[in-house]
Amino acid sequence: QSVLAQPPSASGTPGQRVTISCSGSSSNIRVNYVYWYQQLPGTAPKLLIYSDNQRASGVPDRFSGSKSGTSASLAISGLRSEDEADYYCTAWDGSLSGIIFGGGTKLTVL
Amino acid sequence: EVQLVESGGGLVQPGGSLRLSCAASGSTFSTYWMHWVRQAPGKGLVWVSRINPDGSRIDYADSVKGRFTISRDNAKNSLSLQMNSLRAEDTAEYYCASEGASCSGGSCFGHWGQGTLVTVSS
């Protein structure tokens, strides 16, 4: 069971904007940075967003991150077929003294 | 840019041991936190362990504490994970990951290897 809660699935049509949520607690998201990763089918994950809302090098500005309180969100605008992937949020958890992942959200582009 | 290549995965019986290695290219290895992250077949990502640049700070997930040991050799640009008392639930793809130019602080995975598969089965 993941400490960070993500919806198991999300979907959208090309050109749409989709948002993926990540819900945590006062021991992780509220006080530590949130990171987002994209995992395309059959490949290693890739860093998308670091420090809550900073895009990693080479990541299109269609991807954006935000955080408020104990929740964070990843938004993808102008959805494209190549965005179909699994998306994971992570953060350090001070109570567990470890890095925790969300369960992942499978994004389908219809 | 750092490139990471894992090796050492394979089939091992329950209770057995295995040692994973990660070879890193580039001159920044000795300045980065390094991690192991695993992914069971068809499941999500799970952080396993991390080690700071000089090896003085090490953390483990509760699920592997006391059974796995992470270590690094900065002179050889290498990271290792010694896995003992392996269980069926340790079956997973194991990824080596590091910080990157975009992220630091010990909790970020800027670069990833391609993974090595560990299967624990009799």
Side-chain angles (χ1 to χ4, degrees), chain A residues 35 37 39 43-47 50 55-57 88 90 92 96-99 101-103, chain B residues 35 37 39 43-47 50 57 59 95 102-104 106-110 112-113:
Chain A
Y35 304 87
Y37 300 87
Q39 187 176 32
T43 70
K46 166 191 164 184
L47 176 66
Y50 66 97
R55 276 185 300 278
S57 177
Y88 296 89
T90 76
W92 176 263
L96 298 174
S97 292
I99 296 170
F101 276 89
Chain B
H35 304 261
V37 176
Q39 185 171 36
K43 302 297 185 181
L45 298 167
V46 176
W47 173 78
R50 72 172 185 174
R57 169 73 186 267
D59 296 295
Y95 294 100
S102 294
C103 65
S104 60
S107 304
C108 182
F109 315 119
W112 296 72

Side-chain angles (χ1 to χ4, degrees), chain B residues 27-99:
Chain B
S27 59
T28 54
F29 176 82
S30 63
T31 66
Y32 283 164
W33 282 83
M34 296 296 298
H35 304 261
W36 288 99
V37 176
R38 69 184 182 184
Q39 185 171 36
K43 302 297 185 181
L45 298 167
V46 176
W47 173 78
V48 173
S49 180
R50 72 172 185 174
I51 184 168
N52 73 338
D54 67 5
S56 62
R57 169 73 186 267
I58 287 174
D59 296 295
Y60 297 99
D62 285 345
S63 59
V64 306
K65 206 171 290 184
R67 300 187 300 124
F68 289 12
T69 302
I70 191 173
S71 62
R72 68 190 297 162
D73 185 336
N74 287 341
K76 296 181 179 179
N77 276 13
S78 70
L79 176 74
S80 296
L81 185 69
Q82 177 66 42
M83 304 186 297
N84 299 331
S85 303
L86 283 162
R87 307 165 180 166
E89 53 264 37
D90 294 319
T91 294
E93 190 84 20
Y94 283 74
Y95 294 100
C96 165
S98 76
E99 292 182 303

